[in-house]
């Protein structure tokens, strides 16, 4: 799951960087991204990661599963360095180490347990959240550069967090018929599509690590709180401190990554434009 999300983040970021930047909350961006094979392969990796995470949410608490999804950011950073020649500051490397340390603590503290039902109030809350995220996304899309990456990535995290909340009880559906008829399925799909659009917009505006880290940070807290309060998420007795430390370290690491992450796409575009301008001024074609 962690590796699948890591590959998905990197491949989708490459496709987003090659697509014309959108300044409106336009679902058409997903169609434009879909013409890139890189994006489709990344989407396939994300679907694989999503399915594995969905199955994990049947018995594992959301604070653990969501933190594991966040670990995909570390895989993305490593792949970016190896494949795309990204440059990661030493501070960011240290934060990646903290990220995996925090997740290890969560793994040791999480106690498997089946989920409780959300009920009608939970369904209404998820529907309202979907509308609220959409409205905020309409305004956040006007931001440019790293601030746009962080704002849109955060909203994407909220959408994916809501999808995770819907997935936890949905994964316990007793039959295929009950699964298809459950309103949670369609709320999960809607939140996932909105989150995918917001993530694509975020990746167009700067750093992949900033967009994904903001997404993970914004999505971790709501899912963890809802899971512990409403969905029967459990911690092994006596390990509450370990869960708290692990969660705080993980959250601090992903938030820190939004501060230190370099805007790789933005820098690449600027350098390309500078080469074109120099080539035009000298009468020579750009390299």
């Amino acid at each position: 799951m962690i590796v699948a999300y890591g590959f998905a983040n990197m491949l989708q970021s490459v496709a987003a960087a090659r697509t014309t930047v959108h300044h409106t909350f336009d679902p058409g961006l997903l169609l434009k991204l879909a013409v890139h094979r890189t994006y489709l392969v990344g989407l396939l990796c994300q679907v694989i990661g999503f399915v594995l995470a969905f199955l994990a949410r049947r018995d594992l608490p959301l604070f653990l599963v969501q933190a594991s999804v966040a670990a995909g950011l570390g895989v993305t950073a490593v792949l970016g360095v190896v494949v795309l020649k990204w440059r990661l500051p030493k501070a960011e490397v240290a934060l990646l180490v903290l990220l995996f340390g925090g997740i290890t603590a969560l793994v040791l503290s999480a106690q498997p347990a089946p989920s409780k039902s959300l009920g009608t109030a939970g369904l209404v809350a998820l529907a309202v959240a979907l509308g609220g995220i959409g409205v905020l996304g309409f305004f956040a899309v006007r931001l440019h550069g790293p601030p746009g990456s962080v704002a849109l990535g955060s909203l994407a995290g909220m959408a994916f967090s809501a999808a995770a909340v819907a997935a936890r009880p949905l994964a316990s559906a007793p039959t295929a018929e009950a699964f298809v008829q459950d309103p949670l399925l369609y709320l999960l799909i809607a939140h996932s599509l909105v989150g995918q659009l917001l993530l694509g917009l975020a990746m167009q505006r700067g750093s992949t690590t900033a967009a994904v880290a903001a997404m993970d940070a914004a999505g971790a807290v709501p899912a963890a709180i809802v899971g512990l309060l409403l969905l029967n998420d459990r911690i092994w007795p006596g390990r509450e401190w370990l869960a708290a430390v692990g969660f705080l370290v993980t959250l601090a690491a992903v938030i820190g990554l939004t501060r230190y992450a370099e805007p790789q796409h933005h820098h690449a575009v600027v350098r390309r434009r500078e080469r074109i301008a120099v080539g035009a001024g000298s009468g020579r074609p750009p390299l």
Side-chain angles (χ1 to χ4, degrees):
M1 175 180 67
I2 295 174
V3 174
Y5 273 112
F7 272 99
N9 292 334
M10 185 189 72
L11 294 172
Q12 290 180 18
S13 71
V14 171
R18 296 174 180 174
T19 305
T20 303
V21 177
H22 277 49
H23 301 291
T24 60
F25 192 60
D26 181 10
L29 172 62
L30 295 178
L31 297 177
K32 292 183 178 180
L33 289 172
V35 303
H36 295 278
R37 291 183 180 180
T38 303
Y39 182 81
L40 293 177
V41 175
L43 184 61
L44 176 61
C45 291
Q46 184 166 353
V47 170
I48 293 173
F50 177 83
V51 171
L52 293 174
F54 181 83
L55 296 175
R57 291 183 185 110
R58 180 182 179 91
D59 295 307
L60 296 179
L62 287 178
F63 66 80
L64 171 58
V65 179
Q66 296 309 103
S68 299
V69 171
L73 176 62
V75 176
T76 301
V78 173
L79 289 173
V81 171
V82 175
V83 179
L84 301 179
K85 308 303 180 183
W86 289 355
R87 296 181 179 180
L88 297 184
K90 292 181 179 180
E92 189 168 286
V93 174
L95 288 169
L96 289 173
V97 174
L98 285 177
L99 176 63
F100 285 106
I103 291 170
T104 300
L106 291 175
V107 170
L108 295 175
S109 61
Q111 180 181 11
S115 173
K116 292 182 179 179
S117 174
L118 267 179
T120 303
L123 293 174
V124 173
L126 287 174
V128 171
L130 179 63
I133 292 170
V135 171
L136 292 174
F138 178 82
F139 293 102
V141 77
R142 302 177 185 181
L143 298 174
H144 307 287
S149 289
V150 173
L152 290 166
S154 298
L155 289 174
M158 294 179 187
F160 287 130
S161 179
V165 169
R168 176 87 160 102
L170 181 63
S172 299
T175 64
E177 183 179 1
F179 179 84
V180 174
Q181 294 178 352
D182 197 325
L184 286 173
L185 173 61
Y186 303 99
L187 284 168
L188 184 154
I189 293 173
H191 275 286
S192 298
L193 289 175
V194 170
Q196 193 67 26
L197 173 59
L198 288 165
L199 180 59
L201 290 166
M203 286 180 169
Q204 284 192 320
R205 281 158 173 76
S207 170
T208 296
T209 46
V212 177
M215 175 184 70
D216 291 332
V221 176
I225 293 175
V226 172
L228 289 170
L229 294 180
L230 302 177
L231 299 179
N232 197 39
D233 286 1
R234 296 181 182 178
I235 301 171
W236 287 109
R239 300 184 185 178
E240 291 82 2
W241 67 271
L242 184 61
V245 171
F247 188 80
L248 290 176
V249 168
T250 300
L251 187 60
V254 293
I255 292 176
L257 285 170
T258 68
R259 169 64 179 84
Y260 290 105
E262 294 182 357
Q264 296 98 350
H265 297 157
H266 176 70
H267 289 171
V269 171
V270 170
R271 288 194 296 267
R272 175 176 173 80
R273 288 176 178 173
E274 288 176 349
R275 288 198 300 268
I276 292 175
V278 171
S282 62
R284 292 181 286 107
L287 299 177

